[in-house]
Amino acid sequence: MLDEARRRVERGTDVVVAFVECHGRRSTEEKLAGLEVLPRLTREYRGVSFTEMDLDAVLARRPEVALVDELPHTNVPGGRHAKRWQDIQELLDAGIDVLTTVNVQHLESLNDVVEKITGVPQRETVPDEVVRRADQIELVDVAPEGLRRRMAHGSIYAPEKVDAALSHYFRVGNLSALRELALFWLAGRVDEGLQNYRAEHGIAAVWETRERVVVALTGGPEGETLIRRAARIAARAAGGDLLAVHVARSDGLADANPAALAAQRRLAESLGGSYHSVVGDSVPRALIDFARAENATQLVLGTSRRGALMRSLTGRGIGETAVELSGDIDVHMVTHEQSGRGRRLPVPGRLHSPSRRIAGPLAGLVTPFLLTALLSQTRGTVNLTSDILVFLVAVVGVSLLGGVISALVASLIASLLLNYYFIPPIHRFTINDPNNLLALVVFAVVAIVVAVVVDRAARLARRAARATAEAETLSALAGSVLGGASAVEALLDRLRETFGMASVELRDTEGEGDTEGEGDTGGEGGSGPEPAREGEAVEQVPVGDDAVLVLRGRPLPAADRRVLAAFAAHVAAALDRARLAEVAAEVEPVKAADRMRTALLAAVSHDLRTPLAVAMASVSSLRSQDVQFSSEDQQELLASAEESLGKLNRLVDNLLDMSRLQAGVLPMDLQPTALEDVLSAAVDSLADGRPPNLRVQGLEEAPAVLADGPLLERVVANLVANALRHGGDAPVLVTASALAGQVEFRVVDHGPGLPEDDRERVFLPFQRLGDTDNGSGVGLGLALSRGLTEAMGGTLVPEDTPGGGLTMVLSLPAPASAPASASSYATAPDGEAHP
């Protein structure tokens, strides 16, 4: 705000500072230099003097722009308005522009959300509408880590307040949540502005809601254009999903480039979408079935790559058919650079559409007669050789359209018509010239051979395309399994997608229920599948010796059995891996116990033997008759024995408690417990008594916690002892605060800290920092502390101490009846203290 004021002053604008709160920050005070600051108004309230903005002085001064800080501020009673935003409204009504500031936590609509996040109620709020009426809103966005660094460097609060602020209100989680709230709120404000703009300019297009957008890929060069277009459609809707699908055709589609499909798959996934591959004889039907199965709302298709002539000959394409079948699914036809440039190979064999199965024989019957009528008009200008070649071309065309049978019919009719109308003697079925007879025989042979070769080539192309489609499906299957979190579930889902089934289930043939998972919809476990619904086919495929796949939906042709068998083999292998994983999981606790015993024996060999040896040596010396000890020496030996036996007692207690924790038999008596009493008892139990460098803050005001008192005392004692041991000569701070039904107990040291990679390792049994201090126990302190804390329903996590060091954060639930302290304070980013 002050920077903006300086920029406006440099441009010659009349700017005054009506009210700015510096909170003692030198950098803020320096920015006020050179700006006109109006005097404040002093008011008395309950014997205390407060300063407020002098509204009348600002109105009398009538600047072009006034700076008014802290928009949600509540005025001291006695003025014209209760809230500062009402003062600002009066300035605006008087024609004075106002620059003001507000923190996101003070917006009225977010009040309850902020309290749930931070645990601190905001008593000063401003109506959202007041902020929305601003001509311009600027978001001052600072990353949480950057704000915490500024605070740690003393740029915001005095040094004595930094630790408390960072530990309470200025947590990374709190700041991240407030930042997200600010971004979302401002995004809504931007959307309001855009809606107003559209209304003012008469833009009537409907905004898209949440969508599931399916984009169809052929492997052609237009795929990337379609994916990006579909991604933009999905992005315009909040949380829209993008699904890229390729139909592996079995009817001779020749332009499905595997490398291009792989690149398009990577593009779709990089844009947040998913890739799917299905097999289908009818591409439009397969696309619509997939879209309906995935509850898609929009389908994106590329315009046809066929030329105008090819479109006129072959009729409707995929797009037109998909539109007809789409129903309530919106279909987008997207133009691209490849429109009208490509072609499809002919569709052979039994996979011809019904219309072509009728058109082929019909063309074989009609075409020769039409050619005869046409060529009869050119008799005398076209010789017999040309006539024969024209009929040969017609037979080849009929073969491409209807197959070999249609071509044979056409060649037979063409031979008769050639003999009757074009070979002398005309209009008789006799041939006088042997050369003409030879030509007619050659025509018939060539026509039949060409028709057979063309039909065979088409059938081979179909088989190759089918094999390619199966290979693509299996390749996508392998990628799905390798990249999926659950192999069996991924396989079943992929199986349902590939064959367009209504549901896929994996059942135990021994009647023990579903084996592992199920695709889309599943039924109850049992010895057999549920009865098929009317019009629904049920397929069963064995999986190993004790499971069966049950597919419900359309009948599967025999050609799909190979791919289905491959799916079954993958499912069987996945089941075997799952069973092996279960066996390995059962073995892991045994291995962990073995590692625990090994570590325990290694620890006992030294750490338990050392104090035992000292105690035995002290007692043996006292019992010896050979040496006469003075009373001081006797007391020293007794103290040494007592200290060593005390260490042994604590170590054995820790070992026993750790064993009970791992066995789950440690008794708990959870009662409301005061942290101040627990800390006092824990400090008294330390070997050296209460240390002089231990500071305590906020425990008297902190609520009670729900815990087992003696066990919590041991946890606190371990944490304090660990902080004193590794904190050096710097003071150790113990503090507590309440947050959202939890009470956080913090032990803060300023020692060397702990690397990120070691933060979980220190909680393992028999671990020490650096594993070098063999005289400080068997490394059970922190492990036992975390175990006891979690057993009481709490958490124990390490954090960095601002400025260096380690902070152990012990969080425990507060009793339902324990009220939060009314005198504990947390600091907010605006510098105010909020009870």
Side-chain angles (χ1 to χ4, degrees):
M1 181 177 67
L2 294 176
D3 288 340
E4 176 65 19
R6 286 182 169 276
R7 284 191 292 269
R8 297 197 180 201
V9 168
E10 291 172 359
R11 294 197 299 265
T13 305
D14 182 17
V15 179
V16 300
V17 178
F19 185 92
V20 167
E21 184 61 69
C22 296
H23 297 292
R25 299 166 190 159
R26 187 176 59 182
S27 59
T28 306
E29 293 172 349
E30 291 174 352
K31 288 183 180 294
L32 281 173
L35 297 176
E36 180 183 352
V37 180
L38 296 181
R40 297 187 183 184
L41 181 67
T42 301
R43 285 199 179 99
E44 298 286 335
Y45 182 68
R46 294 182 178 178
V48 181
S49 296
F50 297 92
T51 59
E52 293 283 5
M53 178 180 68
D54 192 339
L55 179 59
D56 292 329
V58 180
L59 292 171
R61 171 63 174 76
R62 295 193 62 82
E64 294 181 65
V65 178
L67 273 60
V68 183
D69 200 6
E70 297 182 359
L71 178 64
H73 173 75
T74 301
N75 292 329
V76 175
R80 287 201 296 273
H81 305 297
K83 304 289 289 187
R84 182 165 291 163
W85 61 264
Q86 295 171 322
D87 294 339
I88 291 176
Q89 187 60 50
E90 186 172 343
L91 294 177
L92 295 174
D93 293 341
I96 301 173
D97 291 340
V98 176
L99 296 178
T100 186
T101 60
V102 61
N103 291 331
V104 67
Q105 64 265 29
H106 295 297
L107 294 173
E108 180 63 44
S109 65
L110 303 177
N111 185 259
D112 57 338
V113 179
V114 171
E115 183 175 358
K116 289 179 181 178
I117 293 172
T118 64
V120 178
Q122 301 292 335
R123 293 181 174 82
E124 292 188 333
T125 60
V126 59
D128 291 44
E129 184 57 31
V130 173
V131 183
R132 287 195 180 97
R133 287 201 300 264
D135 294 330
Q136 180 179 343
I137 299 176
E138 180 176 348
L139 175 66
V140 182
D141 183 32
V142 181
E145 294 78 6
L147 185 57
R148 285 171 59 88
R149 279 196 300 272
R150 288 186 60 209
M151 180 163 289
H153 295 157
S155 302
I156 300 177
Y157 288 151
E160 62 272 11
K161 296 182 179 180
V162 170
D163 285 340
L166 292 175
S167 301
H168 296 85
Y169 199 90
F170 284 84
R171 307 165 190 263
V172 173
N174 289 359
L175 297 176
S176 298
L178 293 175
R179 185 187 193 193
E180 185 174 7
L181 286 175
L183 291 170
F184 273 115
W185 191 92
L186 190 61
R189 175 66 169 80
V190 172
D191 186 64
E192 290 176 9
L194 185 58
Q195 294 288 3
N196 293 335
Y197 174 86
R198 294 173 64 239
E200 292 171 0
H201 291 76
I203 301 175
V206 179
W207 283 92
E208 306 233 3
T209 59
R210 176 179 175 83
E211 304 284 357
R212 289 177 66 83
V213 183
V214 173
V215 54
L217 303 178
T218 65
E222 76 280 2
E224 294 186 2
T225 301
L226 300 181
I227 291 172
R228 291 191 172 92
R229 181 71 177 92
R232 290 195 295 271
I233 294 175
R236 284 202 299 266
D241 295 330
L242 173 65
L243 299 91
V245 60
H246 169 65
V247 178
R249 294 181 52 157
S250 57
D251 61 353
L253 181 61
D255 54 359
N257 186 333
L261 280 175
Q264 291 166 15
R265 175 177 186 164
R266 290 192 295 270
L267 175 61
E269 292 174 346
S270 69
L271 294 174
S274 58
Y275 178 87
H276 308 266
S277 178
V278 299
V279 175
D281 297 335
S282 171
V283 174
R285 172 63 65 184
L287 289 173
I288 296 300
D289 289 346
F290 175 83
R292 293 194 189 283
E294 299 296 332
N295 294 320
T297 56
Q298 302 199 46
L299 175 63
V300 176
L301 298 171
T303 53
S304 177
R305 286 181 285 162
R306 298 175 300 162
L309 177 61
M310 186 62 68
R311 288 198 298 271
S312 65
L313 293 176
T314 58
R316 292 183 307 173
I318 294 174
E320 293 86 346
T321 307
V323 170
E324 181 179 341
L325 299 174
S326 62
D328 56 354
I329 299 176
D330 296 336
V331 179
H332 299 263
M333 300 296 296
V334 179
T335 58
H336 50 85
E337 294 181 354
Q338 302 300 319
S339 296
R341 298 185 181 182
R343 65 183 181 88
R344 296 187 185 278
L345 290 182
V347 180
R350 296 180 57 185
L351 292 181
H352 288 320
S353 65
S355 60
R356 293 186 63 178
R357 286 200 293 270
I358 296 174
L362 184 62
L365 290 172
V366 175
T367 301
F369 290 100
L370 294 177
L371 283 177
T372 300
L374 177 65
L375 293 175
S376 296
Q377 304 300 321
T378 62
R379 183 179 289 119
T381 59
V382 178
N383 58 25
L384 178 60
T385 303
S386 299
D387 292 337
I388 291 175
L389 291 177
V390 170
F391 273 98
L392 183 61
V393 171
V395 171
V396 173
V398 170
S399 176
L400 292 175
L401 179 64
V404 67
I405 301 300
S406 300
L408 290 175
V409 172
S411 64
L412 178 60
I413 296 175
S415 300
L416 295 174
L417 292 176
L418 278 170
N419 185 13
Y420 190 81
Y421 285 100
F422 298 100
I423 297 178
I426 304 300
H427 300 152
R428 294 176 60 185
F429 286 104
T430 59
I431 302 175
N432 294 333
D433 190 346
N435 289 329
N436 291 339
L437 177 61
L438 177 63
L440 183 60
V441 171
V442 170
F443 163 76
V445 172
V446 170
I448 293 173
V449 170
V450 169
V452 172
V453 170
V454 169
D455 183 75
R456 179 176 175 80
R459 291 180 180 274
L460 291 177
R462 175 202 172 272
R463 294 175 185 173
R466 178 72 190 187
T468 301
E470 292 178 357
E472 291 175 359
T473 300
L474 294 177
S475 174
L477 166 66
S480 173
V481 172
L482 292 176
S486 172
V488 175
E489 292 180 2
L491 279 166
L492 297 183
D493 190 59
R494 179 65 67 182
L495 177 59
R496 180 189 60 79
E497 281 183 2
T498 300
F499 295 105
M501 305 303 289
S503 68
V504 177
E505 301 175 30
L506 180 60
R507 291 184 173 271
D508 191 337
T509 55
E510 298 179 359
E512 297 178 358
D514 291 346
T515 307
E516 185 74 21
E518 57 188 40
D520 193 24
T521 58
E524 300 293 332
S527 58
E530 298 175 354
R533 302 180 182 90
E534 183 178 355
E536 182 181 65
V538 177
E539 301 280 349
Q540 297 190 45
V541 182
V543 177
D545 298 330
D546 56 358
V548 63
L549 280 173
V550 180
L551 295 83
R552 291 188 176 88
R554 65 182 180 89
L556 289 178
D560 289 336
R561 296 291 175 176
R562 283 186 301 175
V563 178
L564 185 58
F567 269 99
H570 277 77
V571 171
L575 284 176
D576 290 339
R577 288 197 298 270
R579 294 184 182 115
L580 290 175
E582 291 178 359
V583 173
E586 293 174 356
V587 173
E588 186 58 33
V590 178
K591 293 172 61 179
D594 184 66
R595 289 193 298 267
M596 180 74 74
R597 285 193 295 270
T598 302
L600 176 59
L601 291 174
V604 169
S605 65
H606 184 279
D607 295 298
L608 292 183
R609 187 168 57 187
T610 299
L612 183 61
V614 172
M616 290 180 62
S618 299
V619 174
S620 299
S621 299
L622 289 172
R623 288 174 54 85
S624 175
Q625 302 296 326
D626 298 333
V627 181
Q628 295 295 324
F629 293 100
S630 64
S631 59
E632 290 82 1
D633 293 336
Q634 291 178 359
Q635 292 298 322
E636 184 177 351
L637 289 172
L638 288 172
S640 178
E642 182 180 16
E643 180 183 356
S644 299
L645 292 174
K647 289 182 179 180
L648 278 175
N649 183 63
R650 288 192 296 272
L651 293 176
V652 171
D653 285 345
N654 285 342
L655 289 171
L656 291 175
D657 285 343
M658 181 60 70
S659 300
R660 294 190 186 101
L661 275 175
Q662 293 176 342
V665 295
L666 185 67
M668 291 283 171
D669 181 20
L670 302 182
Q671 299 290 338
T673 306
L675 288 176
E676 186 179 15
D677 297 338
V678 170
L679 178 64
S680 178
V683 170
D684 291 341
S685 68
L686 297 178
D688 299 329
R690 186 179 184 90
N693 60 340
L694 181 66
R695 294 170 47 203
V696 180
Q697 178 180 319
L699 259 64
E700 299 86 354
E701 297 86 6
V705 296
L706 193 63
D708 185 299
L711 295 183
L712 180 58
E713 177 186 329
R714 296 186 61 188
V715 172
V716 172
N718 282 334
L719 296 180
V720 173
N722 189 71
L724 292 170
R725 183 182 306 117
H726 299 289
D729 297 331
V732 172
L733 174 65
V734 176
T735 182
S737 62
L739 176 68
Q742 297 281 319
V743 179
E744 292 192 349
F745 180 88
R746 293 173 172 264
V747 181
V748 183
D749 70 61
H750 295 276
L754 193 63
E756 186 76 25
D757 296 339
D758 291 335
R759 291 191 176 177
E760 289 301 317
R761 192 171 67 88
V762 297
F763 291 106
L764 297 177
F766 315 112
Q767 296 288 331
R768 305 182 194 86
L769 184 61
D771 284 339
T772 57
D773 182 9
N774 290 330
S776 59
V778 294
L780 276 176
L782 290 179
L784 183 60
S785 296
R786 172 171 277 188
L788 293 175
T789 300
E790 292 176 349
M792 291 184 287
T795 59
L796 178 61
V797 294
E799 294 180 356
D800 286 328
T801 300
L806 184 69
T807 298
M808 300 299 294
V809 183
L810 170 65
S811 179
L812 288 168
S817 59
S821 171
S823 57
S824 59
Y825 282 79
T827 52
D830 58 4
E832 300 176 6
H834 300 273

